[in-house]
Amino acid sequence: MAVNVSLDWSASLEGTDDKGRAFTFPEDKLDRQKYAEFIVRFLADQGYNSTEGTPHNYVLNLNSEWGSGKTYFLKRLSEDLKDYYPTVYIDAWAQDYSEDPLMTVISSMIKQLRVQAGKSEDDPLFKAPRKLVGLLKAVAPAVARGLSKRYLGIDPAMIMDAADETGLESEELDDSGKPIDMGIAASNLVSHLIKEHDAKANAIDSIKINVEEWVEAVISADNTEHTKTEKRTYPAFIFIDELDRCRPSYAVEMLETIKHIFDIPGVVFVVGTDTEQLQHAVKAIYGEGFDARNYLGRFFNSRFTLRQPSFDDLLEVHCDLNKLSGAHFSDLGIQVWPENDAPQDNIANITAVLNCFKLSARPAIQIADRVIATIGNLPRGSKVDLLMLTILLCIREKDEAVYDDIVGYGDFKRAVKDYDSKLHLSEFMQVVYENEEKVQLNFNPVEVAPTFFTTIPNTYIETQYSLDLKDYFNLFSDFFDSKDITDLMFSSRQQKSDPLSQIANELINYQNRRDTKDNKKIIGKHWGDYTYYLGKFDKVKVKDYKDLVELSSSLDWLD
């Protein structure tokens, strides 16, 4: 009968691992539970036909890029499944110091399945198989070569290098000082390799039997200490994580070695990788022109890719949101625009910029961390435009030459495909970084400006206003003095000298016209511009932003 696995990742989970160390899984903020439930049902069906009572094997590659929650997913799922199935979790990267990947897998299986079976460390069933040592020797070429020379008195490499026309007598001497007869040596070597191959095959069969016995011991064990099910059932789940982070030689050796036990009936493997990075590891071993994708496909029955979560969810998991609150900025004695009190509003604005530049998870997380670190280390009394800092970091990440042109204090002009003439900065930003993202401003306008021109009451209410990011590009472009003023709010530098009066007049005109979508959009833009100039963020020097970007870009999170 199929097991009804119940997962609830809406709350945190605490427990202890097999070494007695405490751990805590936070609540699932990336909406991964639905993927976990699907994978469990799918693999349980693939690994065991409950109607016929027939166990099968299956190997799934769980593909997910860095930072998207793969390890959390595998660890939490493996912890939950221990109530229902024999389950093993292996962190390949944490053990890549080992020279024997198969030993890593087998020893982890022994330790974790023994605990689940309720057996003691002295139980003879859960001892390392005696033939495992023979298999380790058989699958390690360097060891095999050493054994050949030790027991046969010959070096296999020397035989292979010997040219046919040199005859059968070698210049190399055996232990008695006589020349080695290459014909006899080759015959002995072939005989030795055949025996070695047979020993390897026998060892693999023996290990498979051992694994089946361990799994059966867990399934047969009384499981009454768990409230969800009295006994576990097939299949066994073996999770292998972080393979792409291992040194290339170890990652390839791990796959090549554990493929020998992939086909054990009643056992399903889930190998977690950033598949693109793992392909680089394979090419590092076999050469850049090697078809790494097809090579990896040989090891897996199928591949399941975790969807990249939205940057809002991703940054909430990876970044310290408390450092983006208005209260924190106040404690630091700095002024940040847009001036939102809630950290969620500020992370939403960072996310809007990251989405605009279409970054992948890793650089997006790193840029958000750089923004937070930079703001947190500003001197008291500093002002910083959160959007401008984030945009500059994104541009530098995407194209450092464009970044250099923007901060180069010159007249920005760039050629763009499908445009006859070079574009100034405001045009360039609109064309190249076209987007529909919005910037949030959550504030009370009356606190910002109780009246306009001292006599006209401000009747705007406290709510969340928004402006299009592409409208903000005008402020951005004007700040860096692109000398392109055709599409900006102001048509002359004389008008730019008093922007608040110009914007205030616009806000007065729209005070009684807030009901349409277009009017709300225009009002959001005007309030964004008004608070920007009121806070004098236009007076910050270009050099200050350049220094912040270059300093923060020197800080790179490697994990």
Side-chain angles (χ1 to χ4, degrees), residues 318-324 328-329 332 334 336 347 350 364-379 382 384 386 389-390 393 547-549 551-557:
H318 285 277
C319 300
D320 188 350
L321 294 191
N322 292 326
K323 294 181 178 179
L324 287 173
H328 181 66
F329 298 153
L332 294 175
I334 62 175
V336 178
I347 204 70
I350 292 175
I365 293 170
Q366 291 187 335
I367 285 175
D369 278 333
R370 287 170 184 160
V371 170
I372 293 171
T374 300
I375 293 176
N377 286 280
L378 289 173
S382 298
V384 64
L386 181 70
L389 178 61
T390 309
L393 286 167
D547 289 343
L548 291 178
V549 170
L551 284 172
S552 64
S553 296
S554 300
L555 181 63
D556 196 8
W557 283 260

Side-chain angles (χ1 to χ4, degrees), residues 238-273:
I238 312 298
F239 297 95
I240 301 177
D241 192 14
E242 304 281 27
L243 194 61
D244 49 283
R245 296 181 67 185
C246 297
R247 66 182 189 274
S249 60
Y250 186 85
V252 173
E253 288 171 13
M254 171 71 84
L255 283 175
E256 293 280 10
T257 302
I258 61 178
K259 72 179 181 183
H260 298 300
I261 58 172
F262 272 169
D263 61 346
I264 301 175
V267 179
V268 296
F269 286 84
V270 180
V271 183
T273 66

Side-chain angles (χ1 to χ4, degrees), residues 82-84 116 218 221-232:
K82 288 179 181 178
D83 286 345
Y84 305 96
Q116 293 170 40
V218 175
D222 186 358
N223 198 33
T224 53
E225 72 273 16
H226 298 283
T227 59
K228 296 180 180 178
T229 179
E230 291 185 0
K231 287 186 179 295
R232 299 178 180 91

Side-chain angles (χ1 to χ4, degrees), residues 40-255:
V40 171
R41 289 193 298 267
F42 174 76
L43 290 178
D45 183 60
Q46 296 295 322
Y48 186 66
N49 187 321
S50 57
T51 303
E52 300 176 359
T54 307
H56 304 283
N57 68 283
Y58 201 84
V59 186
L60 176 73
N61 174 210
L62 182 75
N63 175 41
S64 180
E65 67 177 297
W66 181 93
S68 56
K70 177 175 70 272
T71 293
Y72 170 91
F73 181 90
L74 291 177
K75 280 187 174 180
R76 179 146 194 178
L77 182 56
S78 67
E79 189 64 29
D80 282 338
L81 290 187
K82 288 179 181 178
D83 286 345
Y84 305 96
Y85 303 99
T87 306
V88 175
Y89 174 85
I90 301 167
D91 184 339
W93 185 66
Q95 303 185 64
D96 80 341
Y97 58 82
S98 169
E99 293 300 324
D100 299 315
L102 184 59
M103 180 65 81
T104 296
V105 175
I106 296 301
S107 62
S108 296
M109 294 177 71
I110 289 174
K111 292 176 183 178
Q112 296 179 44
L113 293 178
R114 178 180 56 76
V115 172
Q116 293 170 40
K119 303 293 185 179
S120 68
E121 294 185 7
D122 297 327
D123 190 282
L125 175 62
F126 285 91
K127 293 293 184 180
R130 295 180 62 183
K131 289 189 177 183
L132 176 60
V133 177
L135 177 57
L136 294 176
K137 292 178 180 178
V139 298
V143 175
R145 176 181 173 183
L147 291 173
S148 298
K149 188 164 186 177
R150 176 180 176 185
Y151 293 109
L152 302 178
I154 56 176
D155 186 344
M158 190 245 331
I159 293 178
M160 290 184 287
D161 290 340
D164 292 339
E165 58 267 20
T166 59
L168 295 179
E169 190 173 279
S170 169
E171 295 181 359
E172 184 167 324
L173 305 179
D174 61 17
D175 293 338
S176 63
K178 296 181 179 179
I180 296 176
D181 186 320
M182 298 299 291
I184 296 176
S187 177
N188 289 339
L189 177 60
V190 170
S191 176
H192 171 69
L193 292 177
I194 291 175
K195 292 179 180 179
E196 198 171 67
H197 180 271
D198 291 342
K200 175 181 176 180
N202 292 334
I204 291 173
D205 291 340
S206 176
I207 289 174
K208 289 179 180 179
I209 293 173
N210 282 110
V211 172
E212 291 181 57
E213 291 175 346
W214 300 334
V215 170
E216 178 59 35
V218 175
I219 291 173
S220 301
D222 186 358
N223 198 33
T224 53
E225 72 273 16
H226 298 283
T227 59
K228 296 180 180 178
T229 179
E230 291 185 0
K231 287 186 179 295
R232 299 178 180 91
T233 185
Y234 286 108
F237 284 77
I238 312 298
F239 297 95
I240 301 177
D241 192 14
E242 304 281 27
L243 194 61
D244 49 283
R245 296 181 67 185
C246 297
R247 66 182 189 274
S249 60
Y250 186 85
V252 173
E253 288 171 13
M254 171 71 84
L255 283 175

Side-chain angles (χ1 to χ4, degrees), residues 455-514:
T455 60
I456 303 175
N458 178 0
T459 62
Y460 286 96
I461 63 172
E462 180 177 5
T463 186
Q464 185 178 80
Y465 296 84
S466 65
L467 69 147
D468 291 344
L469 183 61
K470 58 187 177 184
D471 285 337
Y472 167 77
F473 284 166
N474 289 331
L475 287 176
F476 180 90
S477 304
D478 192 47
F479 179 86
F480 288 101
D481 193 22
S482 70
K483 299 180 178 60
D484 174 25
I485 59 175
T486 57
D487 198 32
L488 301 182
M489 178 190 308
F490 309 104
S491 59
S492 72
R493 293 193 176 278
Q494 185 177 3
Q495 287 177 309
K496 289 183 186 180
S497 63
D498 187 22
L500 281 176
S501 295
Q502 300 291 324
I503 304 168
N505 281 323
E506 294 294 335
L507 287 171
I508 292 170
N509 291 335
Y510 278 92
Q511 275 202 119
N512 298 318
R513 293 185 289 164
R514 311 176 198 172

